[in-house]
Amino acid sequence: MQTMDRIQYNRCVEQYADRLFRFAFSSLRNREQAEDVVQESFARVWEKADNVEFAKAKSYLFTTAHHAMIDEVRHRQRFASVEEPLPADAKTTPSQYPDVNDILHKALATLPEAQRNALLLRDYEGYSYQEIGDITGMSEAQVKVNIFRARTALKNKLKSIDNLIDIEP
């Protein structure tokens, strides 16, 4: 087994940082939290550089990010009752024409975590079913089922204009 050296680690950062951020941001919808997940993932890879092969670094990074996102969601749910009040000048009325990207992300946020992550890894990041299974710890069959259910749920949510406007985050 060839372990990762500093040059290979830097190459990992160059190759995967943006993709890892997109994955984390698509799931968490919070820039700071997504940046924290990316930073934590790369820190863990560097800590385990003696045990991580460069060829498997991508899978290790996304697996680590997936677990960090689960931890972040659990943390967020634990402290959800403590909400920050909106500033007095905050806009509280929705725009007449909501942004399609915002609508899609709100619809994605309504999916169960396993479905959302499997769908993001497949459709946004282009991973194979087997790679997604390795990252999430699901069997290949479970991955396929979660992706199918996620796509079906999104299709049902997005097929009506009424559903587009009424989606709650």
Side-chain angles (χ1 to χ4, degrees):
M1 176 173 89
Q2 181 184 3
T3 60
M4 191 179 325
D5 61 18
R6 184 180 305 266
I7 293 169
Q8 291 172 326
Y9 175 80
N10 289 336
R11 196 174 322 146
C12 278
V13 172
E14 291 171 11
Q15 289 179 349
Y16 305 125
D18 290 341
R19 293 178 73 183
L20 202 60
F21 175 78
R22 278 195 315 270
F23 173 59
F25 184 75
S26 294
S27 185
L28 297 171
R29 301 297 299 150
N30 180 296
R31 184 173 193 80
E32 287 104 19
Q33 290 172 345
E35 289 170 349
D36 289 345
V37 165
V38 171
Q39 184 175 2
E40 178 67 23
S41 299
F42 279 108
R44 289 182 188 175
V45 165
W46 183 246
E47 290 170 2
K48 305 281 185 178
D50 293 339
N51 300 323
V52 177
E53 294 179 43
F54 177 70
K56 296 184 180 183
K58 178 181 170 186
S59 178
Y60 188 89
L61 279 166
F62 277 86
T63 301
T64 303
H66 173 74
H67 291 289
M69 288 185 315
I70 290 171
D71 292 344
E72 184 61 40
V73 169
R74 286 180 184 154
H75 177 75
R76 191 186 312 166
Q77 288 173 346
R78 195 173 310 139
F79 295 103
S81 62
V82 181
E83 295 183 16
E84 296 180 20
L86 287 174
D89 61 343
K91 184 177 177 183
T92 56
T93 58
S95 169
Q96 183 179 0
Y97 301 106
D99 181 30
V100 174
N101 194 33
D102 288 342
I103 292 169
L104 179 59
H105 285 291
K106 285 179 182 178
L108 279 169
T110 64
L111 296 175
E113 185 177 334
Q115 291 179 12
R116 181 178 59 246
N117 287 339
L119 184 69
L120 290 172
L121 286 169
R122 179 69 178 176
D123 292 346
Y124 279 65
E125 299 301 329
Y127 282 102
S128 70
Y129 296 121
Q130 182 179 359
E131 289 172 320
I132 295 168
D134 292 342
I135 291 169
T136 61
M138 291 186 267
S139 70
E140 195 170 326
Q142 288 173 311
V143 169
K144 290 178 182 180
V145 167
N146 278 317
I147 291 172
F148 174 79
R149 288 179 180 166
R151 287 176 179 160
T152 302
L154 285 177
K155 178 179 149 189
N156 290 335
K157 285 192 182 306
L158 299 176
K159 70 180 175 184
S160 163
I161 190 68
D162 294 333
N163 289 344
L164 293 177
I165 296 169
D166 294 332
I167 294 175
E168 294 295 324

